[in-house]
Amino acid sequence: MTGLENLIIRVMKADDLEAITAIDKRVLGKYRPEYWRMKMELLENRSSVASLVAEVDGKVTGFILGGASGWEYGVPETVGHIDTLGVDPEFQGRFLGRLLMKEIISHFRKVGVNKVYTYVNWREGDLLSFFNKAGFSRGDMINLEMKI
């Protein structure tokens, strides 16, 4: 029994901002409503793939933000990206993140995406393991940085 018997995964709405902000605060300890408003609006206006939320018994318990590329940085529109995945700590370890991932990948396929990118900090072993189990592997793109 995972506690997900009444799970619904649906398209994210502007009304979900408060719940997403609350999950972020529980996970990272930061309250950032303006940040999440900006991210939600940006992805909604730029992508043919909608971001998603998971609800259990009518309560938002997780979310996944992502989109299709559209030729940014020379990356073709057949490439999608996972921007952010968040799961309420109360629901972590119940495959909710994996179900959100599976659903957004289904949406990607419907619009012709055949490769998905995401970024993970090399030192975040749990996240690397999660994405590895979801089918991700190290890609050809290289993250470049310059300290100033």
Side-chain angles (χ1 to χ4, degrees):
M1 182 87 60
T2 62
L4 301 179
E5 292 77 20
N6 297 319
L7 172 68
I8 296 170
I9 296 179
R10 62 167 174 78
V11 171
M12 184 180 289
K13 305 179 296 194
D15 292 352
D16 296 321
L17 176 64
E18 185 177 323
I20 289 167
T21 302
I23 290 170
D24 182 51
K25 185 166 186 343
R26 284 192 286 280
V27 172
L28 297 179
K30 299 176 184 176
Y31 181 69
R32 310 180 297 169
E34 291 306 316
Y35 170 80
W36 287 106
R37 180 177 291 112
M38 180 270 307
K39 285 191 81 75
M40 290 168 65
E41 288 173 0
L42 184 64
L43 285 168
E44 181 181 331
N45 294 329
R46 288 182 35 205
S47 178
S48 58
V49 175
S51 295
L52 306 171
V53 297
E55 283 186 356
V56 175
D57 295 322
K59 176 187 175 192
V60 174
T61 55
F63 59 92
I64 190 164
L65 282 77
S69 192
W71 285 101
E72 291 144 356
Y73 302 102
V75 177
E77 58 195 16
T78 57
V79 171
H81 65 276
I82 303 295
D83 182 279
T84 310
L85 173 66
V87 176
D88 187 315
E90 181 182 335
F91 289 86
Q92 290 177 2
R94 300 187 199 183
F95 302 102
L96 186 57
R98 208 173 293 179
L99 292 169
L100 282 162
M101 181 76 67
K102 183 178 177 182
E103 187 66 23
I104 203 166
I105 292 206
S106 173
H107 287 252
F108 283 144
R109 283 188 177 115
K110 290 176 187 173
V111 298
V113 167
N114 58 26
K115 186 182 287 189
V116 180
Y117 293 149
T118 194
Y119 297 99
V120 178
N121 185 317
W122 188 246
R123 291 172 182 83
E124 295 287 338
D126 289 345
L127 274 178
L128 287 169
S129 177
F130 170 81
F131 280 104
N132 184 47
K133 288 177 184 172
F136 283 76
S137 60
R138 194 165 183 173
D140 294 333
M141 298 286 281
I142 298 173
N143 176 49
L144 301 175
E145 71 179 31
M146 176 177 53
K147 294 184 190 246
I148 55 171

